């Protein structure tokens, strides 16, 4: 019996080993093996005592199993609720069917979904379509390493594969064109303003500020009206101003009187520019600022001699353009040479004292504080008090008021030149100073004149190298409307995009701002600083300022808005007169800015500092970057990531000199990029400059911050909707890629596509449905995690 039992034991072990081998090789075999009847114990063959003991043991085991199972399920359930409540809901989110979501879904393409081709996503440029992986970016070379023949072959295979991928992606994303791209943020804001101006007048009084803005926009869109009247409106205005020497009907108006009139009523600054802005050292205090004017001709700067001069190659084309303008104004061709030649001569003289802003900054020529009385002494040819009073009426301007001058040597030179020309040409009667001012007025008014004037200016711009395509008329008209009705439009944008619509949504813009900034503070608290002083300064700066939605800081009632525009009168089919009204409104806007010390926040597109507040403008919350009905994955992936980048650039412009993280984390990401695109032998061949290290860190940190903020939002709202079949982290990451490719102004400073950061993130975290790696691709993971310990 003992021998039989020993043999049986040996056989049992052998069979068990065979079972385990089959189980490892084929789980199905294992399933069949555990259910075979001949292997089940036969309890009736056992003795009664053994059976009773077995029954008791089975009861204990069964009770313990029930307890362990219940405990395990409880722990698992708690773990799922407290850690990642949304990771298990990837494919179960209901679709968003709002009009805004339906419009947004048209912009999402399979070409931008990293999980649709994970093996090769890191090779693709934004939008595919045949652009190079780095869009012409030049790698920054460091210490080169020798290539082996095998690595060359691998890179050749990768390049061939890239061509093949692009062909496939071009078929998939055939419909992904310009109409599917997100616009840049400024264009998105202008489109939102266009929707406001084109909206029906239901419930709007005929004499409200909003109705006046719509009437101006409508008259601007009427392209036929200016063609009917030709040059006549400009002739009429010239007569009101006292004529000009070119036409022979000039009544010898005073130089400073004409200059003050042009500056105050027509926003024209021929000899110097005047605007309102804060001091570089105090963002809360606004000053009158005086700078070089915008010249009609290009100026060359010699960086060796530090001298400027007019670009000689463009003088003849400008002379031709000047003659064409005079022809349209009915001036005899016999006087072209005299008046156009004097204009160019005066410009050439003024240009000698100009200098680029970078040079003026190095020479401490910017933000020079000086009183108006001191300025009058240094540049006596200009009646400064009269000109500035006209520009900022009805505000009181006094001799003792401080102004900020950005190129005092130019202002002094300009004053001397005007005095000399007044003396030299007074006897001749040509009055080139007056002609120069009227020509500048003509440039201001060209947008309201017939298309012939616009075409002359456009042709000259092309001659000077301006290859930018002519913008559509709607965009020009929105910009002109914004020029005069900025306060009104800022209010409307706030009301429509951050107040009325959001009040009915399950979450608000303030929540997104709070989540992003809280996640940003968590990230910065985990930084490794180069010294304790840097740590204290930065962390104190971050905690001492508060992000605030602009609706809370610049609220005007409808009554107050209507009062601002009470004296404005708009005509249905007289765009020229309406345009003059807008120039008058622009003057009032400058005066309000100087008086109140606050810009129109609603029409900004990036955050800015104001005292102890970070103002988050309502202009950021426009479609397609944000909408109350969007899935939160879209709002956090698009606007959330953009906001995080903006805040990092605003608050930490020199972070690479203060902390170790930008260098360490960016090099980690860069190592990852080279390992999947160049192979292990080339990882050390290229290095990043400090500026690119910082930008890579900013981009990658912004992705982590926005993702952490999105996850944080689930503590309040543990559900989300889907878009284009995507949801949760999948939709978040696709949204990040979409906005990074289409609308991120910082993308050009990256050494690779920002969308590659998703590849790095997915290799380091468990939030992705599947990794962006393949077994048949040579990919090395970074030696360390390219992320902080506190953020995903």
């Amino acid at each position: 019996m003992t021998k039989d039992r020993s043999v049986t034991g040996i056989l049992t072990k052998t069979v068990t080993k065979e079972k385990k081998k089959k189980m490892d090789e084929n789980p199905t075999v294992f399933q069949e093996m555990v259910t075979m009847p001949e292997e089940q114990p036969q309890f009736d063959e056992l003795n009664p005592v053994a059976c009773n003991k077995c029954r008791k043991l089975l009861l204990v085991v069964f009770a313990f199993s029930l307890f362990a199972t219940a405990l395990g399920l409880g722990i698992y359930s708690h773990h799922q609720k407290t850690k990642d409540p949304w990771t298990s809901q990837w494919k179960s989110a209901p679709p968003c069917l709002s009009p805004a979501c339906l419009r947004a879904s048209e912009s999402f393409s399979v070409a931008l979904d990293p999980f649709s081709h994970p093996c090769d996503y890191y090779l693709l440029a934004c939008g595919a379509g045949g652009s190079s992986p780095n869009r012409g970016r030049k790698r920054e070379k460091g210490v080169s390493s020798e290539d082996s023949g095998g690595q060359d072959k691998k890179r050749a295979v990768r390049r061939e594969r890239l061509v093949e991928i692009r062909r496939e992606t071009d078929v998939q994303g055939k419909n992904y064109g310009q109409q599917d791209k997100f616009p840049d943020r400024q264009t998105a804001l202008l489109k939102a303003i266009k929707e406001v101006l084109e909206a029906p007048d239901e419930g709007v009084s005929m004499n409200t500020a909003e109705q006046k803005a719509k009437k101006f926009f409508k008259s601007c869109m009427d392209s036929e009206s200016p063609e009917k009247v030709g040059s006549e409106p400009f002739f009429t205005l010239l007569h009101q101003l006292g004529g000009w020497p070119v036409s022979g009907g000039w009544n010898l108006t005073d130089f400073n009187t004409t200059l003050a009139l042009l500056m105050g009523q027509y926003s024209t600054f021929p000899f110097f520019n005047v605007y309102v802005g804060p001091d570089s050292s105090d963002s809360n205090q606004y000053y009158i600022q005086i700078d070089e004017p915008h010249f009609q001709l290009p100026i060359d700067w010699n960086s060796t001699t530090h001298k400027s001069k007019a670009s000689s190659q463009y003088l003849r084309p400008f002379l031709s353009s000047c003659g064409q303008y005079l022809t349209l104004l009915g001036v005899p061709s016999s006087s072209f040479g005299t008046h156009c030649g004097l204009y160019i001569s005066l410009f050439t003289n003024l240009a000698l004292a100009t200098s680029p802003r970078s040079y003026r900054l190095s020479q401490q020529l910017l933000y020079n504080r000086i009183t108006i009385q001191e300025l009058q002494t240094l540049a006596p040819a200009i009646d400064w008090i009269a000109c500035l009073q006209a520009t900022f009426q009805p505000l009181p301007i006094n001799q003792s008021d401080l102004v900020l001058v950005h190129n005092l040597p130019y202002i002094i030179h300009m004053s001397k030149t005007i005095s000399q020309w007044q003396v030299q040409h007074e006897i001749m009667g040509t009055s080139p100073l007056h002609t120069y001012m009227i020509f500048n007025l003509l440039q201001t008014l060209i947008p309201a004149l017939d298309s012939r004037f616009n075409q002359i200016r456009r042709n000259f711009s092309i001659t000077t190298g301006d290859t930018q395509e002519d913008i559509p008329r709607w965009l020009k008209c929105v910009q002109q409307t914004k020029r005069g009705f900025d306060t009104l439009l800022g209010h409307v944008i706030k009301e429509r995009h951050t107040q009325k619509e959001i009040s009915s949504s399950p979450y608000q813009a303030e929540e997104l701002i709070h989540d992003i900034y809280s996640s940003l503070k968590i990230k910065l608290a985990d930084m490794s600083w180069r010294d304790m002083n840097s740590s204290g300064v930065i962390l104190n700066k971050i905690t001492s300022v508060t992000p605030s939605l602009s609706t809370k800081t610049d609220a005007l009632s409808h009554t107050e808005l209507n009062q601002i525009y009470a004296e404005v009168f708009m005509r249905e089919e007289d765009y020229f007169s309406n345009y003059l009204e807008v120039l008058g409104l622009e003057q009032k806007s400058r005066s309000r800015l100087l008086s109140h010390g606050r810009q129109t926040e609603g029409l900004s597109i990036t955050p800015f500092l104001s005292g102890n507040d970070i103002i988050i403008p309502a202009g950021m919350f426009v479609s397609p970057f944000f909408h109350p009905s969007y899935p939160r994955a879209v709002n956090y992936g698009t606007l959330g990531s953009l906001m995080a980048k903006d805040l990092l650039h605003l608050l930490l412009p020199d972070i690479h000199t203060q902390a170790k993280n930008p260098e360490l984390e960016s090099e980690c990401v860069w190592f990852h990029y080279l390992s999947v695109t160049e192979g292990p032998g080339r990882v050390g061949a290229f290095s990043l400059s400090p500026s690119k290290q910082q930008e890579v860190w900013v981009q990658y940190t912004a992705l982590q911050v926005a993702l952490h903020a999105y996850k944080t939002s689930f503590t309040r709202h543990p559900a989300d909707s889907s878009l284009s079949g995507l949801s949760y982290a999948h939709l978040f990451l696709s949204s990040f890629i979409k906005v990074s490719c289409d609308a991120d102004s910082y993308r050009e400073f990256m050494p690779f596509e920002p969308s590659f950061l998703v590849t790095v993130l997915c290799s380091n975290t468990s939030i992705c449905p599947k990794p962006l790696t393949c077994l048949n691709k040579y990919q090395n993971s970074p030696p360390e995690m390219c992320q902080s310990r506190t953020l995903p």
Side-chain angles (χ1 to χ4, degrees):
M1 178 67 71
T2 304
K3 183 178 180 180
D4 291 340
R5 288 181 178 177
S6 299
V7 172
T8 302
I10 294 172
L11 290 174
T12 301
K13 291 180 180 179
T14 303
V15 171
T16 302
K17 290 181 180 179
E18 289 297 321
K19 287 180 183 179
K20 188 175 187 303
K21 181 178 180 182
K22 291 182 180 180
M23 176 184 70
D24 291 339
E25 293 176 351
N26 192 338
T28 306
V29 173
F30 167 70
Q31 183 67 24
E32 294 174 354
M33 290 172 64
V34 297
T35 57
M36 291 176 63
E38 62 267 24
E39 295 181 12
Q40 306 302 318
Q42 302 296 319
F43 286 101
D44 55 350
E45 296 179 2
L46 301 175
N47 61 65
V49 176
C51 285
N52 289 334
K53 291 182 178 180
C54 286
R55 290 190 184 97
K56 291 179 180 179
L57 180 62
L58 285 173
L59 286 174
V60 172
V61 170
F62 180 71
F64 179 78
S65 299
L66 285 177
F67 173 76
T69 301
L71 179 62
L73 287 174
I75 294 174
Y76 176 80
S77 176
H78 176 74
H79 174 77
Q80 292 297 315
K81 289 180 180 179
T82 57
K83 187 177 181 181
D84 287 318
W86 49 284
T87 53
S88 62
Q89 306 177 37
W90 273 76
K91 299 179 182 179
S92 60
C96 176
L97 301 177
S98 71
C101 284
L102 295 178
R103 289 194 301 270
S105 64
E106 297 173 359
S107 298
F108 280 81
S109 165
V110 69
L112 290 179
D113 178 12
F115 306 105
S116 64
H117 37 77
C119 300
D120 306 297
Y121 181 70
Y122 61 86
L123 293 173
L124 297 177
C126 288
S131 59
S132 67
N134 296 299
R135 295 187 342 276
R137 292 188 180 95
K138 295 182 180 179
R139 288 195 181 95
E140 306 202 4
K141 296 184 178 181
V143 180
S144 62
S145 59
E146 295 183 359
D147 295 330
S148 66
Q151 290 170 353
D152 287 339
K153 290 180 181 179
K154 288 180 180 179
R155 281 193 292 275
V157 170
R158 276 192 286 269
R159 284 193 291 269
E160 292 176 4
R161 176 57 180 153
L162 175 58
V163 174
E164 179 185 345
I165 296 164
R166 289 230 175 88
R167 290 197 194 102
E168 296 171 358
T169 310
D170 283 345
V171 174
Q172 293 175 345
K174 203 76 174 179
N175 296 325
Y176 184 78
Q178 291 297 323
Q179 69 276 11
D180 299 313
K181 286 181 174 291
F182 280 178
D184 62 81
R185 287 196 271 181
Q186 184 62 45
T187 302
L189 176 59
L190 294 176
K191 284 185 175 181
I193 294 174
K194 177 175 177 281
E195 292 178 2
V196 170
L197 297 173
E198 291 181 334
D201 288 332
E202 298 176 0
V204 178
S205 173
M206 292 301 292
N207 201 35
T208 62
E210 186 173 341
Q211 202 275 337
K212 292 175 182 178
K214 291 180 177 180
K215 188 177 290 187
F216 172 81
F217 178 75
K218 184 178 179 180
S219 69
C220 178
M221 290 296 291
D222 180 10
S223 59
E224 296 181 359
S225 178
E227 305 301 323
K228 295 177 183 178
V229 295
S231 306
E232 190 59 34
F234 188 72
F235 284 131
T236 303
L237 180 61
L238 272 182
H239 179 71
Q240 295 173 358
L241 295 175
W244 65 331
V246 174
S247 62
W250 180 42
N251 62 7
L252 301 177
T253 52
D254 175 68
F255 167 78
N256 273 295
T257 300
T258 302
L259 179 60
L261 187 64
L262 297 186
M263 292 174 60
Q265 294 187 22
Y266 302 103
S267 290
T268 300
F269 304 93
F271 300 104
F272 52 89
N273 193 16
V274 176
Y275 58 94
V276 177
D279 191 356
S280 59
S281 60
D282 185 5
S283 60
N284 293 322
Q285 183 66 42
Y286 279 62
Y287 295 90
I288 296 174
Q289 313 217 14
I290 299 173
D291 205 344
E292 298 174 3
H294 172 70
F295 290 106
Q296 304 303 319
L297 284 86
I299 298 174
D300 292 333
W301 168 255
N302 189 319
S303 58
T304 303
T305 62
H306 298 155
K307 299 292 183 182
S308 292
K309 67 174 184 177
S311 299
S312 57
Q313 60 180 320
Y314 302 120
L315 297 182
R316 187 174 295 276
F318 182 81
L319 186 64
S320 174
S321 298
C322 179
Q324 294 174 42
Y325 285 131
L326 294 180
T327 298
L328 294 180
L329 295 173
V331 176
S333 58
S334 58
S335 62
F336 288 1
T338 300
H339 295 290
C340 293
L342 287 173
Y343 181 97
I344 292 176
S345 179
L346 178 56
F347 156 73
T348 302
N349 200 318
L350 292 172
L352 294 175
T354 62
S355 57
R357 189 174 181 86
S358 58
Y359 174 76
R360 286 182 275 157
L361 178 62
S362 68
Q363 299 300 308
Q364 297 182 341
L365 295 175
L366 301 178
Y367 297 100
N368 285 337
R369 294 192 178 203
I370 188 173
T371 65
I372 297 176
Q373 186 174 8
E374 292 171 333
L375 186 60
Q376 187 67 59
T377 303
L378 294 171
I382 304 297
D383 188 347
W384 291 100
I385 194 69
C387 289
L388 295 178
Q389 284 177 343
T391 304
F392 296 101
Q393 58 180 323
L395 297 181
I397 304 297
N398 303 309
Q399 296 277 7
S400 58
D401 290 347
L402 284 173
V403 296
L404 302 181
V405 180
H406 297 287
N407 191 348
L408 189 57
Y410 166 80
I411 298 298
I412 295 173
H413 172 79
M414 175 267 301
S415 176
K416 291 179 179 179
T417 300
I418 290 174
S419 298
Q420 292 170 1
W421 279 62
Q422 283 176 325
V423 173
Q424 292 174 2
H425 296 275
E426 184 176 0
I427 301 175
M428 299 173 58
T430 52
S431 300
L433 295 173
H434 195 83
T435 301
Y436 188 88
M437 290 190 287
I438 297 301
F439 259 121
N440 277 267
L441 175 63
L442 175 64
Q443 294 298 319
T444 302
L445 299 177
I446 278 180
L449 296 174
D450 68 74
S451 59
R452 297 173 299 171
F453 290 90
N454 282 282
Q455 191 59 51
I456 294 172
R457 181 156 70 177
R458 175 63 181 158
N459 292 340
F460 180 71
S461 297
I462 294 174
T463 302
T464 60
D466 182 6
T467 58
Q468 185 177 359
E469 295 183 4
D470 198 18
I471 63 175
R473 189 170 186 86
W474 75 262
L475 190 53
K476 293 179 181 178
C477 292
V478 169
Q479 290 172 337
Q480 297 299 345
T481 310
K482 177 174 172 281
R483 186 176 180 180
F485 292 91
D486 57 337
T487 302
L488 166 72
L489 295 174
H491 174 82
V492 175
I493 289 296
K494 296 173 192 176
E495 191 175 55
R496 295 198 175 195
H497 292 273
T498 61
Q499 289 178 336
K500 286 187 176 179
E501 292 183 343
I502 294 179
S503 62
S504 60
S505 65
Y507 68 103
Q508 298 181 354
E510 286 90 343
E511 292 188 32
L512 187 145
I513 295 171
H514 176 269
D515 291 342
I516 291 294
Y517 201 68
S518 296
S519 298
L520 180 63
K521 289 193 290 187
I522 292 173
K523 169 66 179 179
L524 296 180
D526 190 42
M527 298 274 279
S528 297
W529 302 96
R530 297 189 184 277
D531 56 75
M532 293 303 297
N533 183 56
S534 296
S535 172
V537 170
I538 296 298
L539 294 179
N540 180 65
K541 180 179 181 180
I542 298 301
T543 55
S544 63
V545 294
T546 305
S548 176
L549 190 61
S550 59
T551 53
K552 297 180 178 180
T553 60
D554 187 18
L556 290 173
S557 66
H558 289 277
T559 302
E560 291 172 320
L561 284 170
N562 291 332
Q563 184 62 36
I564 291 175
Y565 300 96
E567 299 179 2
V568 177
F569 180 73
M570 292 291 166
R571 298 168 177 82
E572 289 288 348
E573 299 181 356
D574 190 352
Y575 179 54
F576 188 85
S577 296
N578 293 344
Y579 187 81
L580 295 182
E581 288 277 351
V582 162
L583 295 181
L585 287 173
E586 190 174 31
Q587 181 274 323
K588 293 181 179 179
S589 180
R590 277 193 297 269
S591 298
R592 281 197 303 273
L593 182 57
L594 181 61
S595 175
H596 300 337
R598 186 172 62 231
Q599 59 182 312
T600 306
E601 298 165 357
L603 299 184
S604 300
I605 56 173
T606 55
F608 58 91
L609 288 169
S610 178
N612 291 326
D613 289 328
I614 305 174
I615 304 301
I616 310 295
M620 295 180 66
F621 291 82
V622 297
S623 299
F625 308 115
F626 179 89
H627 195 274
S629 67
Y630 281 173
R632 274 174 295 137
V634 175
N635 284 333
Y636 280 78
T638 53
L639 182 58
S641 62
L642 289 176
M643 188 182 298
K645 294 173 191 178
D646 289 338
L647 291 172
L648 288 167
H649 281 108
L650 176 68
L651 299 173
L652 306 172
D654 302 311
I655 187 63
H656 67 281
T657 65
Q658 300 162 320
K660 301 176 183 178
N661 301 68
E663 179 181 359
L664 297 176
E665 294 180 21
S666 63
E667 288 297 339
C668 182
V669 173
W670 182 237
F671 175 90
H672 195 122
Y673 177 76
L674 292 179
S675 70
V676 299
T677 57
E678 297 291 337
R682 299 282 290 173
V683 168
F686 307 103
S687 61
L688 295 176
S689 66
S691 61
K692 280 189 167 52
Q693 286 179 355
Q694 173 150 329
E695 189 56 42
V696 170
W697 178 81
V698 165
Q699 295 270 348
Y700 191 46
T701 298
L703 172 59
Q704 297 175 22
V705 165
L707 178 60
H708 184 270
Y710 177 46
K711 294 178 66 176
T712 301
S713 71
F714 274 82
T715 61
R716 294 184 301 272
H717 314 291
D720 202 1
S721 56
S722 63
L723 188 69
S724 297
L726 307 177
S727 58
Y728 298 100
H730 194 170
L731 180 56
F732 171 91
L733 295 174
S734 296
S735 299
F736 170 81
I737 292 167
K738 175 71 176 166
V739 76
S740 296
C741 283
D742 293 353
D744 185 6
S745 59
Y746 303 113
R747 175 185 166 212
E748 62 180 295
F749 303 109
M750 289 285 285
F752 49 77
E753 299 290 2
S755 50
F756 176 75
L757 299 174
V758 173
T759 304
V760 182
L761 186 76
C762 286
S763 69
N764 289 332
T765 65
S766 60
I767 62 115
C768 301
K770 49 187 173 183
L772 296 177
T773 56
C774 281
L775 296 178
N776 62 341
K777 290 285 177 182
Y778 190 91
Q779 296 191 29
N780 271 354
S781 296
E784 297 178 358
M785 301 283 275
C786 302
Q787 59 190 61
S788 65
R789 297 184 299 274
T790 52
L791 296 183

